[in-house]
């Protein structure tokens, strides 16, 4: 059995273009609008908003704690440097007095 490929002539192309035009014109005249029920998502949006607020508050708390820790370590380092300077100055005085 032999199958012949069916040719699409100029009439087929014109029909396709005409149908595409009608379809597009119909969509332009009456665009499909997805109407989401607002009340259905309001609870979920509020829940997500609360989660986001909790996450932001937690990050701020962690940042403040890290800043306080950093400041405490900086003060401790400054105190240790002051002690080191005092020791070096004392050693210099002892060396200069012994000469």
């Amino acid at each position: 059995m032999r199958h012949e490929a069916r040719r699409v002539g100029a009439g087929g192309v014109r029909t396709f273009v005409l149908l595409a035009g009608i379809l597009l014109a119909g969509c332009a005249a009456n665009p499909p609008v997805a109407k989401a029920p607002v009340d259905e998502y309001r609870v979920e949006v509020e829940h997500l908003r609360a989660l986001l607020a909790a996450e932001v508050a937690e990050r701020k708390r962690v940042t403040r704690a890290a800043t306080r820790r950093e400041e405490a370590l900086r003060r401790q380092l400054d105190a240790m440097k002051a002690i080191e300077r005092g020791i070096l100055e004392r050693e210099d005085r002892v060396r200069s007095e012994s000469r």
Side-chain angles (χ1 to χ4, degrees), residues 40-88:
E40 181 179 325
Y41 298 114
R42 184 168 284 144
V43 173
E44 186 175 353
V45 168
E46 290 300 323
H47 174 69
L48 292 173
R49 184 177 292 149
L51 286 176
L52 179 62
E55 181 74 23
V56 169
E58 177 65 15
R59 286 185 183 190
K60 285 181 180 179
R61 185 190 68 74
V62 168
T63 302
R64 283 192 303 268
T67 301
R68 285 192 302 268
R69 178 70 177 145
E70 183 180 338
E71 289 171 1
L73 288 172
R74 186 170 285 121
R75 285 192 302 271
Q76 187 177 4
L77 180 62
D78 289 342
M80 293 173 75
K81 286 180 180 179
I83 292 169
E84 182 183 28
R85 279 193 304 273
I87 292 170
L88 291 173

